[in-house]
Amino acid sequence: MHALLLTIFIDTVGFGIILPLLPFFAERFGASPLQVTLLATVYSFSQFIFAPLWGRLSDRVGRRPIILLTLFGLFLGYISLTFTNSLVILFLVRAFVGAMAANSGVIHAYIADITSTSARAGAMAKVGAAHGLGFIVGPAIGGLFAGSDPVNPNLALPFLIAAALSGTAFCIACFQVKETIGIELREEASKGQRSLGRVFMGALRIPQLALLFVVVTMTPFVFSGVETTFVIWSEHVLGWGPWQNGQIYTFMGITAAGTQWFLVGRLTHRFGECRLICVGAVMIFVGVSILPYMTGSLGLCVAFGFIVFGVSVNNPSLSSLVSKYAHASERGSLLGLSHSCSAMARITGPAWAGFAFGHFGPDWPFFSGAVVMVVMFLLATRVKPAKDIGDTRR
């Protein structure tokens, strides 16, 4: 597990370098605020398509080959950014990178393979912590090498650094990440595995699992909208450039890493996943409600502290609950479908946020997110602990 966490951390550093720079890169090709947010949408659409496919394939051929394949694909995607010379090519590269980054379901299935149900949420949170640590280092590197000029930042070198880090992550995984499912389970999955459609329809027939699939979409819908519009919000409202935004993303990474590495496992053990989901919804609501009124770095850190804490407790708790419904031979498929639902939210979230930004005003992506969190809280109060549902798994 430690080798996997190291791999995730290094790869996320590369992702963290790229993310705050993409809006500035897109604006070089004349992209509008809506088109900037659609870059995130096309990325998430690829994840929506590929997450269940990678999960299903990992049940058949093993987790390790899919993790290696997708890591190498990310390396190729980041290299391609350095040769991008038009907005159309940028969208195509982002779609490819999104497909390769759609391995979260496989990674969570890997964790579920090697952990007990009681320790699962905490272990999955450590995956999130590795991502968070990557966001501490990545945006700082990206901001440092791109510079503080919002008009003409230097982007080529950060892109090359991101590619080099993804290549390093691939090499580490080749030697250190071991397979977690045996030949028997892989053969069982190959011979008797249901289609993805039947797995999904079977999940919808379980009321609590169907409810979880709905709730799973709400946090990424709000957070992806906030994440993709914040850079252009800060540019328009505060006049910020890559360096200032990189500092905020670094703070978000510190908060996410600290919450998921040190707190989620302990909080889950004490309160359970269901209560944490409710708490997470409240925290995100508070954060997005106050964010538009913050005009300095300290106030924005407070707002994002609430938001990131809520996201950090929600995501592993929901993945843990979903995983407990999956038969071992279909674990990758079910978690892949769950992450596909999240990806669909990350398609619609930035698209809505960009529309709201352009038509209602720069603060409306945050206000509308607060409304969604109220709905999530009401639905989350109906989610029951898995141990109370009974053994409804196949």
Side-chain angles (χ1 to χ4, degrees):
M1 180 173 172
H2 290 93
L4 180 64
L5 294 177
L6 177 62
T7 300
I8 292 168
F9 163 71
I10 294 173
D11 189 61
T12 307
V13 171
F15 181 80
I17 290 172
I18 296 294
L19 187 61
L21 302 180
L22 279 176
F24 300 98
F25 193 42
E27 287 175 350
R28 286 187 176 181
F29 306 121
S32 67
L34 178 59
Q35 289 172 321
V36 170
T37 57
L38 288 177
L39 275 174
T41 301
V42 72
Y43 177 92
S44 297
F45 182 76
S46 292
Q47 291 193 314
F48 168 73
I49 297 297
F50 280 88
L53 297 178
W54 293 139
R56 178 181 174 84
L57 194 58
S58 76
D59 288 333
R60 292 186 171 187
V61 304
R63 316 291 186 216
R64 183 176 182 272
I66 304 305
I67 291 172
L68 294 178
L69 174 63
T70 53
L71 286 174
F72 186 71
L74 287 170
F75 164 75
L76 294 178
Y78 294 150
I79 283 288
S80 300
L81 279 175
T82 63
F83 301 102
T84 298
N85 56 12
S86 72
L87 191 60
V88 172
I89 299 300
L90 179 58
F91 270 90
L92 291 175
V93 171
R94 284 297 284 169
F96 175 78
V97 171
M100 295 300 104
N103 60 4
S104 296
V106 179
I107 291 170
H108 281 134
Y110 185 106
I111 297 299
D113 291 339
I114 61 175
T115 57
S116 64
T117 56
S118 61
R120 191 164 298 167
M124 289 182 176
K126 288 187 176 181
V127 173
H131 283 295
L133 288 170
F135 272 110
I136 295 172
V137 180
I141 293 174
L144 177 64
F145 286 97
S148 58
D149 184 359
V151 178
N152 190 32
N154 177 17
L155 301 178
L157 183 57
F159 289 167
L160 288 173
I161 293 172
L165 288 168
S166 289
T168 302
F170 170 77
C171 293
I172 292 173
C174 283
F175 294 101
Q176 297 296 326
V177 174
K178 308 301 181 183
E179 185 54 65
T180 60
I181 56 176
I183 296 175
E184 297 81 4
L185 277 176
R186 278 179 271 170
E187 290 178 347
E188 180 183 347
S190 298
K191 294 177 182 177
Q193 191 178 47
R194 297 181 295 173
S195 67
L196 284 171
R198 290 186 64 189
V199 173
F200 184 66
M201 294 307 297
L204 295 183
R205 286 193 289 269
I206 303 172
Q208 280 292 311
L209 188 52
L211 178 61
L212 280 173
F213 271 38
V214 174
V215 175
V216 156
T217 66
M218 293 184 168
T219 296
F221 178 89
V222 172
F223 186 65
S224 63
V226 171
E227 191 176 42
T228 53
T229 55
F230 175 71
V231 172
I232 50 178
W233 180 87
S234 67
E235 183 184 3
H236 283 70
V237 176
L238 305 177
W240 281 11
W243 172 246
Q244 295 92 335
N245 283 296
Q247 291 177 316
I248 293 295
Y249 277 89
T250 300
F251 170 78
M252 292 166 63
I254 293 171
T255 305
T259 301
Q260 295 185 92
W261 191 272
F262 296 108
L263 295 180
V264 172
R266 293 180 174 89
L267 292 173
T268 303
H269 181 73
R270 183 169 182 178
F271 299 108
E273 292 100 334
C274 299
R275 289 182 182 176
L276 286 187
I277 295 167
C278 294
V279 170
V282 171
M283 298 293 279
I284 297 171
F285 169 81
V286 172
V288 296
S289 296
I290 67 175
L291 193 153
Y293 303 103
M294 301 295 115
T295 57
S297 297
L298 180 60
L300 287 169
C301 285
V302 171
F304 275 111
F306 281 107
I307 294 169
V308 173
F309 181 88
V311 173
S312 297
V313 299
N314 276 354
N315 289 339
S317 298
L318 288 165
S319 292
S320 175
L321 286 172
V322 170
S323 73
K324 294 174 183 178
Y325 286 92
H327 186 274
S329 64
E330 293 182 343
R331 186 172 286 148
S333 298
L334 190 62
L335 283 166
L337 286 166
S338 172
H339 285 270
S340 183
C341 291
S342 297
M344 175 57 73
R346 289 191 295 272
I347 294 169
T348 54
W352 163 255
F355 176 82
F357 187 102
H359 288 77
F360 303 125
D363 296 338
W364 277 94
F366 314 128
F367 293 147
S368 59
V371 174
V372 174
M373 283 299 103
V374 171
V375 177
M376 179 178 174
F377 174 80
L378 295 175
L379 292 177
T381 59
R382 300 175 57 189
V383 175
K384 299 177 183 178
K387 63 182 182 181
D388 294 337
I389 297 170
D391 188 10
T392 52
R393 296 173 294 176
R394 286 186 80 259

